[in-house]
Amino acid sequence: QVQLVESGGGLVQAGGSLRLSCEASGSILSIFTMYWYRQAPGKQRELVATMTTAGVATYADSVKGRFTISRDNAKNTVYLQMNSLKPEDTAVYYCNAPRVVTIRGRTEYDIWGQGTHLTVSS
């Protein structure tokens, strides 16, 4: 069974930087587009960034120019580099893989990590 594990969250001052990681495990052959979402207290989950297998990235307007998504296909890991952090970036950050193919030829859908907390203090 494919699993996603996020790491790298924590407490940072406004203006600071942090890098989140999301590692996939479980006899993976290929992972298609990967996503970073976040959910702030009392708010709905929102899409932050996406990256296709070809390396095409897209961003929410709220993070454009400050966040950078990247992936290392050999490590089955996606990263989110966050710079110029603001208090409004405080949230639980989740990675998501809508479609993963395992080496046994099985396809798993809509896989989520457990989330990692980011708190940005003003």
Side-chain angles (χ1 to χ4, degrees):
Q1 186 175 4
V2 176
Q3 292 184 323
L4 300 178
V5 178
E6 301 98 335
S7 61
L11 173 63
V12 64
Q13 287 188 330
S17 298
L18 211 61
R19 189 177 81 158
L20 305 182
S21 300
C22 171
E23 182 177 4
S25 62
S27 302
I28 295 166
L29 177 63
S30 63
I31 305 176
F32 295 86
T33 300
M34 295 193 75
Y35 300 81
W36 281 102
Y37 287 82
R38 68 184 180 186
Q39 187 166 19
K43 295 188 177 181
Q44 290 188 331
R45 190 171 296 188
E46 66 169 338
L47 179 62
V48 175
T50 68
M51 175 156 277
T52 68
T53 51
V56 177
T58 59
Y59 300 94
D61 287 343
S62 58
V63 306
K64 206 171 290 184
R66 300 187 298 122
F67 290 12
T68 302
I69 188 172
S70 61
R71 63 189 289 172
D72 184 334
N73 291 328
K75 295 181 179 180
N76 291 322
T77 300
V78 64
Y79 305 96
L80 187 68
Q81 177 67 42
M82 305 180 293
N83 299 327
S84 302
L85 284 163
K86 305 175 181 180
E88 50 263 44
D89 294 318
T90 295
V92 178
Y93 284 73
Y94 300 90
C95 64
N96 170 248
R99 184 182 174 200
V100 179
V101 178
T102 69
I103 60 175
R104 296 183 179 179
R106 188 174 69 185
T107 300
E108 298 190 19
Y109 298 96
D110 201 26
I111 302 163
W112 290 86
Q114 81 290 349
T116 185
H117 292 255
L118 169 67
T119 301
V120 183
S121 63
S122 57

